[in-house]
Amino acid sequence: MTSLSSPLRRPIAALVLGLFAAACTPTGPATSETLAARIDTLRAYDLVSVDGAGPARALRFYIGDNSRFAICGHCLCGTGIMVFPYPKLGIRPTSASPTLSCDWDSQPFKADGELVGMFFDMTEAQVDGAQVTFSGSGDHVMVFTRGGTDLSPP
């Protein structure tokens, strides 16, 4: 069994620990100023590209009227709240949990963990019709396109 300090576990362990530590962070401005006011709430937004290339894994994002959101892959979901005025995000993670579809040590779980972790590092959004482009975390860019009302993990 590998420890939490092993190179393979560090990104996922850091994400989980960061989510729990940030759960008590106070919220910011009213929802009317955040991304929730700029996109359709309670609609699935599916990942279409990461850094200009097609994604290696499916990822789905949705946000509620209260600026609380979920970001889910097949193996892992994370939740949080966006507290900064648009186009800034001010992501405050609230939890992360496995979907029970994958083993903790599996490559798919680790791949979802990397994408969910990348999303939590995004600092700005740009809305263009049905498309939302998230940027931040160095040079990373994630593009999502609005889909249907099925909010279950992809």
Side-chain angles (χ1 to χ4, degrees):
M1 182 174 204
T2 58
S3 71
L4 282 177
S5 63
S6 75
L8 296 176
R9 295 245 179 159
R10 274 187 223 133
I12 294 168
L15 171 66
V16 172
L17 292 174
L19 292 172
F20 286 112
C24 296
T25 305
T27 60
T31 298
S32 63
E33 300 172 16
T34 66
L35 179 64
R38 306 290 175 139
I39 65 174
D40 291 334
T41 56
L42 299 177
R43 290 291 298 264
Y45 283 80
D46 293 318
L47 183 64
V48 294
S49 74
V50 176
D51 299 335
R57 305 237 350 125
L59 200 63
R60 179 165 290 153
F61 161 78
Y62 69 89
I63 194 167
D65 294 329
N66 58 4
S67 292
R68 295 191 181 277
F69 69 88
I71 183 78
C72 293
H74 179 72
C75 300
L76 178 68
C77 286
T79 61
I81 186 167
M82 294 183 181
V83 297
F84 287 179
Y86 176 86
K88 300 288 186 193
L89 296 173
I91 292 176
R92 300 288 186 250
T94 54
S95 73
S97 64
T99 63
L100 304 179
S101 300
C102 307
D103 291 328
W104 176 271
D105 285 332
S106 69
Q107 189 55 40
F109 185 89
K110 293 171 189 172
D112 277 3
E114 288 178 19
L115 283 174
V116 170
M118 182 185 295
F119 182 84
F120 278 102
D121 285 340
M122 296 293 132
T123 58
E124 289 191 21
Q126 183 62 45
V127 177
D128 185 14
Q131 184 171 294
V132 183
T133 302
F134 293 94
S135 60
S137 123
D139 294 331
H140 294 296
V141 174
M142 301 176 90
V143 179
F144 290 77
T145 298
R146 184 180 56 231
T149 56
D150 179 7
L151 303 180
S152 60

